[in-house]
Amino acid sequence: MSDIGFVRTEMLPEQDPPASEVGIIGWMRHNLFDGWFNSALTLLSIYFVYKVLAALVPWILSPTWDAGSLAECREVLGALGREGHYAGACWGVINERWIQLIFGFYPAELYWRPIAAFVLLGVALAPVLFSDKVPSKLLIFTILYPFIFPWLLWGGTIWGPISVVLGFVVGWLVYSAVDKAVSNLALVYSAVDKAVSNLVGIIAGAVAALIWWLILSGYFVGAMDSIAAIGIEPVESRKFGGFMLSITIGVVAIACSLPLGIVLALGRQSDLMIVKYLSVGFIEFIRGVPLITLLFVASTLLNIFMPPGTDFDIILRVLIMVTLFASAYMAEVIRGGLAALPRGQYEGADSLGLNYWQSQRLIIMPQALKISIPGIVSTFIGVFKDTTLVSIIGLLDPLGLSNAIRADANWNGIVWELYGFIALLFFVFCFSMSRYSMYLERKLHTGHR
Amino acid sequence: MTTLTDPPKEQFRLSMLLYDTRYRSATIQVIALIGFMLLAAWLISNTMQNLEALGKPVEFGFFAEPASYDINQRLIEYTSRDTHLRAAFVGLLNTLVVAFLGCVTATILGVIIGVARLSHNWIVARIMTVYVEMFRNVPVLLWIVFIMAILIETLPAPRAFRGETPEASMMLGDSVAMTNRGVYIPEPLFSNSLGDVHLFGASSLRFDVSLDLMAILLVLGIGIWVSNWIKHRADRIQEQTGDRPVTWWQRTAVIVVPMAILLYLLGFHLGYPELKGFNFKGGTHLRNSLIALWLALSLYTAAFIAEIVRAGILAISKGQTEAAAALGLRPRKIMRLVILPQALRVIIPPLISNYLNLTKNSSLAIAVGYMDITGTLGGITMNQTGRELECVLLLMLVYLSISLIISAIMNWYNESVKLKER
């Protein structure tokens, strides 16, 4: 056996990796200068970023916050030795008008109302959005919120929303009373069973609620007003504007389109041919035309479609059309959620003996809606961005207001500051919502989908 | 002893309409249909009454009246004496032009950005992320007016090009002039032109088809067909012998050479824009409104397409690349033969809906004064004639047809690249 020259008996001390592989140098070698092509790209990108920043930063850093007009801005910049068209931004316009860009022409002493409405919106949404962190008793407030929201924004007597709520209460009372009475009859006549009493109850309840809303509530509101005139100052729709208008349209459209969208999605998935074709026709029609044509309908045609003499508010008309628009997209999102559920869920519900509505309510919808929340959020972002279109039919959303502000002699010639500010606000809203939807996607991605 | 008897035959009772699942679906459908028809009848009768009161019965006669407004950006000849129908037709072509240009640019940009966002180069990936988030989270209408403002405010006026030492100069060898009134680019001219074919006589839908263009398209089409034939022949030879003949120069030549000969025969040359007086003359004039709309729609939609492309590439598992490499394919072939065909399947359906969105968003042209179908039919024509119902309904119909046609074409393409399953 030849002798082995050398066998190491002790461990060598660990060595550090080469300096070019770790730390900031190693990171740069791997991520920035990995071959000649990447190096060139990196240098080019750095040059591009430098150029953009060199042009933007001095422009943004301009001490014109207190200026009262464009000429004053130029003076301030001129005193600093900064001449020329793009010497610096004129932030005075934002300082003077930001509150208008947010609230439009809403009366200044009533600003607390929209603020309260949107803060309460957060409270109302919390039990839905962060269901694991917020007590579920808040859901009662969520149910009442749709009646508080318009009252806070438009004002008027408090008996209006109360009377609307009472309509639901009346309907419910009549439903349970009739249901009970007919069930008692069922003990006598065997032909009448549970389903009939239920159906008769629902019809009676709906009729009672309709009678209340259409006929009695007017008297009720009038009577209660003369007894105790509790109310807040009404605000006309044409004073609405700015981001408040955008958020109002976005929130109302999404909230109303959710139930409509669910119905349309179920209709589209349904086995009933006529119901299916009606739903498909509606969805495809709305998705095939641009929102601007629907807004034309709101501004010119909707009054023509209503009984002669009807004349309702332009914001209400826009709300109706945007809701219809959003509901078609919502239906497609929910249909995606329904399709993503495994077939076994439907079959399981059937084999438990649940009927269609029971299985939808208890098995299908809770899962399908959970899957579609990210899609719903992105639909909301889309609708929120699309609310800028109302400026084309003459409503004063931020973009419409920016034109009004530029028509002011003091600020004639301002462009970038206004657009930049509006873009920034939209960006903050939409970006945070899209991050939220990503957070949800991660949170919901547990176990089966 | 038992006797088998048929179960007693159930008699039809009225309650079965409600309880028997066989009849219940019919009941519900009939109720739904009646409800829908009642709603429609109610809306139509309201409309009729209102229109009667306004003295505006539904009729489309106004389309034959002279429009008496001007359209500055147009593909076909049009004067203000032409009819409203002609104006709408010009607007429709303008919509299609900007939608087509936008789709092409958005696709190219979107693919580049989507791939760049996956780059290992940290700074490139970050820049692209900023781009995507910036464009996705700000309304497209804001981008349109913003880019319009950039064009008007930052580009030089035509008079800046005048004088001995002009402040501004034309680009690309004095062929392109970018001014605050629009961009002037060279136009193709033919000294031995074949002339035009006039279609539809003197009606409102008349338009001219350039025979030169037709000849060029024909030669191009034949060239591509021959080139494909050469490719198939090469495929056949490769299958039989294992060797692939070198064909790239043949395939290029059959397209380029006939085209060059044709262009020479037609006397092809470019007409350059020139400064005459206060403005540029000659060349093709692209108005700011068109450029702003085109750029804004492309940049906005590109951000969405980039995300789709990124998702499509990420959806292909790494094993596919590794398996293809194990088979001995080179990186370019892996991309072309393995990754792309699979990624396309994921990419195309959402791509279709983005094309549709772009086309529908082109209706925002009205904000910058580009005369598309919304600006003509839904804008000036509607305001001049006061025929809101007819104009808006027709406008919707036009957009609906465009949407359906685009989705039909793209679905057909999707069928052809889709995974052929059992």
Side-chain angles (χ1 to χ4, degrees), chain A residues 31 38 42 86 196 272-274 287-288 290 292 304-308 329 385 399 416 427 430-431 435, chain B residues 19 25 29 46-47 49-50 120-122 133 136-137 141-142 146 149-150 153 300 360 363 396 399 403:
Chain A
N31 290 305
N38 254 340
T42 304
Y86 303 107
V196 174
L272 313 173
M273 201 184 59
I274 294 175
R287 277 160 41 96
I292 187 72
I304 296 184
F305 291 152
M306 291 295 121
Y329 287 83
K385 284 191 294 176
L399 217 52
W416 317 113
F427 181 84
C430 300
F431 187 70
R435 289 294 123 155
Chain B
Y19 297 130
S25 67
Q29 298 201 59
N46 283 338
T47 311
Q49 286 179 37
N50 280 316
H120 295 297
N121 191 320
W122 183 84
E133 296 297 349
R136 278 204 315 177
N137 289 313
L141 183 60
L142 195 55
F146 196 74
I150 291 179
E153 299 273 328
Y300 180 79
K360 285 185 283 172
S363 61
M396 286 181 156
Y399 276 109
S403 297

Side-chain angles (χ1 to χ4, degrees), chain B residues 157-159 161-162 170 174-179 181-189 270-287:
Chain B
R159 67 180 143 76
F161 290 80
R162 278 198 301 170
M170 293 167 73
D174 273 1
S175 63
V176 176
M178 295 176 73
T179 75
R181 290 189 196 170
V183 176
Y184 296 82
I185 56 170
E187 59 178 338
L189 293 174
L270 290 174
Y272 293 105
E274 277 170 45
L275 192 60
K276 285 197 181 133
F278 292 102
N279 222 334
F280 280 90
K281 291 269 153 42
T284 304
H285 182 190
L286 305 175
R287 303 238 166 209

Side-chain angles (χ1 to χ4, degrees), chain B residues 5-21:
Chain B
T5 51
D6 283 342
K9 204 166 166 125
E10 267 191 89
Q11 281 218 311
F12 181 79
R13 281 170 288 123
L14 214 54
S15 61
M16 281 168 77
L17 282 179
L18 208 53
Y19 297 130
D20 197 318
T21 41

Side-chain angles (χ1 to χ4, degrees), chain B residues 7 22 30 40 60 134 222 248 324 327 355 364 367 382 407 412:
Chain B
R22 283 172 298 178
V30 168
F60 291 88
M134 198 170 87
I222 293 176
W248 65 266
L327 286 175
Y355 285 165
L364 299 180
M382 180 166 89
S407 59
W412 168 78

Side-chain angles (χ1 to χ4, degrees), chain B residues 256-279:
Chain B
V256 173
V257 174
M259 185 58 68
I261 295 173
L262 177 73
L263 290 180
Y264 177 74
L265 287 178
L266 288 175
F268 173 79
H269 61 276
L270 290 174
Y272 293 105
E274 277 170 45
L275 192 60
K276 285 197 181 133
F278 292 102
N279 222 334

Side-chain angles (χ1 to χ4, degrees), chain B residues 223-295:
Chain B
I224 290 174
W225 185 77
V226 174
S227 164
N228 271 339
W229 180 78
I230 294 175
K231 174 175 175 287
H232 285 305
R233 195 174 132 259
D235 286 346
R236 264 205 315 282
I237 294 176
Q238 188 181 20
E239 271 169 29
Q240 283 164 3
T241 65
D243 290 324
R244 191 178 181 86
V246 179
T247 56
W248 65 266
W249 59 271
Q250 293 173 347
R251 292 186 61 189
T252 323
V254 291
I255 296 178
V256 173
V257 174
M259 185 58 68
I261 295 173
L262 177 73
L263 290 180
Y264 177 74
L265 287 178
L266 288 175
F268 173 79
H269 61 276
L270 290 174
Y272 293 105
E274 277 170 45
L275 192 60
K276 285 197 181 133
F278 292 102
N279 222 334
F280 280 90
K281 291 269 153 42
T284 304
H285 182 190
L286 305 175
R287 303 238 166 209
N288 276 334
S289 49
L290 169 63
I291 305 230
L293 189 67
W294 172 22
L295 267 182

